[in-house]
Amino acid sequence: MSKIVFEDVHKSFDGGLRVLNGVSLKVEKGESHIILGRSGCGKSVLLKCLTGIMPVDSGDILADDISVGDKKRSKEYLQKFSILFQGNALFDSMTIIDNVVFGASQKNKDKSERRKIAEEKLLAVGLEKRVFDLYPAEISGGMQKRAALARAIAVEPEILLFDEPTSGLDPVTAGIICNLLKETIKSLGVTALTITHDLRVAEFLEDRISLLNEGRIVWTGHARDMENSGNQFVENFHRASNVITQRSAITAE
Amino acid sequence: MYNPLATLGKYTVSTLDEMGRIFLFALKGVKSCLLPPFYFREIFRQMTTFGFYSLPIVGLTAVFAGMVLALQTYVGFTRFNAEGAIASVVVISITRELGPVFAGLMVAGRVSSSIAAEIGSMRVSEQIDALMTMGVDPFKFLVAPRILSGILTAPFLVLIADIIGVMGGFLVSTTLLDFSTGSYISQTIQNMEAIDVISGLVKAAAFGFSVAIFGCYHGFYSDLGARGVGNATTSAVVSSCIGILILNYLLTALFFGI
Ligand SMILES: Nc1ncnc2c1ncn2[C@@H]1O[C@H](COP(=O)(O)OP(=O)(O)OP(=O)(O)O)[C@@H](O)[C@H]1O
Ligand SMILES: [Mg+2]
């Protein structure tokens, strides 16, 4: 039984914009799966459909055989997931620690326990005690990303979803965050689904990669096989990504 | 070809559509005020922003309203030798109308805009999505505390506005207009009826509701981006003010039997 199953998912918006046009994909339990695609190809929309924030037009999405549309089991369904949002989505009316406590409170009823869990998680993602009582707007983007990760794992999810985990970060911080994500996935033993346009992030975190193009998954496999996949879009994406990597390596020198 | 009827029709349909949506939104909001879970910390936080921080502006508005009212009544009433009625005119006008309406409009400008901006930017920055994926109903967490704080704190604000407004009239009458302190106070007390004050406080609760609902509604459905949030803020202020004026008329008609 696969952990997450997308079955022929369709989604379009007012004005006839077809974003998802029959997405089918299986994510296995315990794997770190990457969905790779160009900017604006509907990656975030796919994630919103997966978590039920946006209803799908047709098709179905299942997590452990529970359908996203199953109203009676929606709580059970949602509790499986935790998202690291593209823009972190920390609650800006709460301090960093309160954000994480809020996450922890979804599973844990005991008040002092929650706070202990929150401190633990914050330290685990490498935040110092002095930032615990600051507000999200008062800390840097890299720290916000860490705090958001702490909140995400405080929920104790079975599935972690990462939406563009390195967007808006400098290359060094991005590397550190990627390492942190990889460690987190490994130590928690969760299923992870990462959404990104950055091949380097994908290569680093992958067990498998799926490419999303024109509303469908066009290829699934390992990063090392992309070059000789026999699919024009996949090979072009691979080549273009490498050109950028080489250029930035040159400028960095 | 331009067809004015078609434009009018379209406009009417979209206005009715919007009104229907606001009605449903308000219904859902009220429902989430009544059913658990309750987020007491949020309710308390909202009551502080709604009530406590509105005190200075509401007090300032009220004192000037009372002062100008005393002056105007004096100027008008001396024409037929009725200056003696100033105290009662001030207290009745303030408690029935000026206190609630001025306080309501000031709070609409101050609070409903900030509600719309806050909720709108929470939407833009995916904070509302984050709530939903954590299994928290945004209506219970965001809308209900604001509605409750509006309904509960606005009457207190208006009560304070009433007192300060009457004080304003008193100050002008006793310092500029040769009233004796004792007779002004006794006239005020004699002419003040419970229904005047109570009707004003009921109005206040309704106005508080209007401010909260329109702020939340426009914030919730703001277009994405800074411009969307800006527009939502403007719409929230405009529509909650209109809401206040319409509710004011309806409640006045209801209370004073016309
Ligand atoms: N709520 C919405 N209403 C209308 N159109 C939308 C909505 N959300 C997304 N879209 C459209 O869907 C398309 C895909 O958007 P999406 O945010 O999923 O892209 P993405 O792949 O995540 O891109 P990026 O890499 O830039 O984050 C875009 O063309 C966008 O305009
Ligand atoms: Mg995106």
Side-chain angles (χ1 to χ4, degrees):
Chain A
M1 185 180 75
S2 304
K3 193 75 182 169
I4 309 171
V5 180
F6 293 89
E7 280 174 1
D8 197 25
V9 174
H10 289 257
K11 177 76 193 174
S12 34
F13 289 106
D14 301 345
L17 178 68
R18 292 181 112 179
V19 181
L20 304 179
N21 200 10
V23 171
S24 293
L25 174 68
K26 284 184 177 162
V27 178
E28 302 305 330
K29 187 167 179 341
E31 81 167 323
S32 170
H33 201 104
I34 317 291
I35 294 178
L36 195 58
R38 296 175 55 181
S39 296
C41 73
K43 301 185 297 292
S44 295
V45 170
L46 189 67
L47 207 64
K48 284 184 181 150
C49 291
L50 172 60
T51 47
I53 293 169
M54 264 181 197
V56 298
D57 294 344
S58 69
D60 201 0
I61 304 174
L62 306 157
D64 284 334
D65 278 342
I66 304 174
S67 164
V68 65
D70 189 342
K71 286 252 156 55
K72 277 184 216 131
R73 300 177 74 180
S74 69
K75 192 156 187 173
E76 191 186 340
Y77 180 89
L78 267 180
Q79 281 196 338
K80 294 183 184 298
F81 294 97
S82 190
I83 308 187
L84 183 61
F85 285 91
Q86 192 163 355
N88 302 325
L90 292 165
F91 303 121
D92 39 32
S93 62
M94 297 181 198
T95 59
I96 297 302
I97 184 118
D98 283 344
N99 264 280
V100 185
V101 170
F102 192 83
S105 68
Q106 305 317 311
K107 274 273 167 72
N108 201 309
K109 294 283 167 224
D110 181 24
K111 228 176 183 172
S112 58
E113 187 73 3
R114 281 181 215 161
R115 184 147 182 117
K116 224 181 82 198
I117 294 175
E119 285 182 359
E120 220 169 76
K121 304 293 179 199
L122 281 168
L123 293 172
V125 298
L127 283 174
E128 295 166 26
K129 276 224 156 96
R130 68 177 176 88
V131 303
F132 286 11
D133 292 314
L134 297 179
Y135 285 89
E138 297 168 339
I139 62 176
S140 73
M143 287 179 178
Q144 286 181 13
K145 196 55 95 183
R146 285 173 195 265
L149 179 64
R151 185 179 69 182
I153 58 179
V155 183
E156 291 171 11
E158 296 168 32
I159 303 166
L160 270 173
L161 305 173
F162 301 134
D163 189 0
E164 302 283 5
T166 58
S167 71
L169 300 177
D170 69 80
V172 179
T173 313
I176 296 171
I177 294 291
C178 272
N179 265 308
L180 183 61
L181 296 183
K182 195 169 184 171
E183 277 168 27
T184 309
I185 295 169
K186 224 166 105 187
S187 65
L188 298 181
V190 293
T191 308
L193 183 61
T194 306
I195 279 174
T196 183
H197 60 255
D198 191 336
L199 182 60
R200 284 167 301 170
V201 174
E203 281 174 333
F204 187 76
L205 292 176
E206 70 148 354
D207 287 325
R208 283 192 303 160
I209 297 179
S210 290
L211 269 91
L212 182 64
N213 187 36
E214 290 175 348
R216 285 166 204 255
I217 299 294
V218 293
W219 183 83
T220 298
H222 298 287
R224 58 177 181 275
D225 299 329
M226 277 177 78
E227 232 170 334
N228 306 308
S229 62
N231 182 312
Q232 199 60 41
F233 172 76
V234 177
E235 287 175 14
N236 284 342
F237 197 101
H238 186 259
R239 208 170 306 129
S241 301
N242 280 342
V243 169
I244 293 172
T245 317
Q246 278 157 18
R247 284 232 183 96
S248 54
I250 292 164
T251 28
E253 278 167 23
Chain B
M1 221 178 71
Y2 177 69
N3 184 348
L5 271 182
T7 313
L8 186 71
K10 234 186 229 162
Y11 190 74
T12 313
V13 169
S14 78
T15 310
L16 288 175
D17 183 56
E18 176 101 10
M19 280 166 68
R21 271 186 227 218
I22 292 176
F23 181 73
L24 290 178
F25 186 89
L27 219 59
K28 205 170 154 194
V30 171
K31 202 178 119 194
S32 54
C33 286
L34 301 175
L35 300 174
F38 302 107
Y39 294 94
F40 291 105
R41 229 174 88 178
E42 277 302 296
I43 296 174
F44 181 75
R45 199 170 72 85
Q46 291 310 321
M47 286 175 98
T48 328
T49 28
F50 198 108
F52 186 70
Y53 291 118
S54 298
L55 275 175
I57 184 81
V58 167
L60 201 71
T61 322
V63 74
F64 278 102
M67 280 160 59
V68 86
L69 193 61
L71 270 188
Q72 286 283 22
T73 329
Y74 179 78
V75 174
F77 279 26
T78 39
R79 291 185 193 153
F80 29 93
N81 300 324
E83 308 89 299
I86 291 181
S88 55
V89 169
V90 167
V91 74
I92 292 176
S93 324
I94 292 278
T95 52
R96 280 193 185 186
E97 282 297 325
L98 298 184
V101 172
F102 276 177
L105 293 178
M106 295 318 279
V107 169
R110 216 189 75 85
V111 179
S112 87
S113 56
S114 87
I115 291 178
E118 189 177 358
I119 295 185
S121 55
M122 285 184 80
R123 157 130 280 161
V124 174
S125 60
E126 297 181 309
Q127 290 175 53
I128 292 184
D129 291 348
L131 281 176
M132 285 162 74
T133 53
M134 287 174 158
V136 176
D137 182 349
F139 260 81
K140 297 223 165 94
F141 189 72
L142 297 173
V143 179
R146 285 167 173 80
I147 293 179
L148 285 172
S149 80
I151 294 178
L152 296 176
T153 51
F156 281 99
L157 275 177
V158 167
L159 195 63
I160 290 164
D162 286 352
I163 295 168
I164 295 178
V166 170
M167 284 294 295
F170 169 81
L171 278 179
V172 167
S173 306
T174 52
T175 53
L176 299 179
L177 308 174
D178 311 331
F179 267 86
S180 86
T181 314
S183 73
Y184 191 93
I185 292 177
S186 67
Q187 268 186 38
T188 300
I189 292 171
Q190 266 168 29
N191 289 300
M192 187 175 69
E193 285 180 28
I195 183 73
D196 300 332
V197 179
I198 291 169
S199 69
L201 299 186
V202 172
K203 281 179 178 179
F207 298 168
F209 180 74
S210 167
V211 166
I213 281 293
F214 284 109
C216 291
Y217 175 82
H218 288 288
F220 236 83
Y221 297 110
S222 78
D223 291 331
L224 300 184
R227 217 182 74 162
V229 176
N231 289 341
T233 313
T234 313
S235 308
V237 175
V238 171
S239 47
S240 59
C241 287
I242 294 173
I244 286 174
L245 296 174
I246 293 174
L247 283 171
N248 185 43
Y249 179 79
L250 294 178
L251 288 172
T252 307
L254 193 75
F255 268 107
F256 301 105
I258 302 146

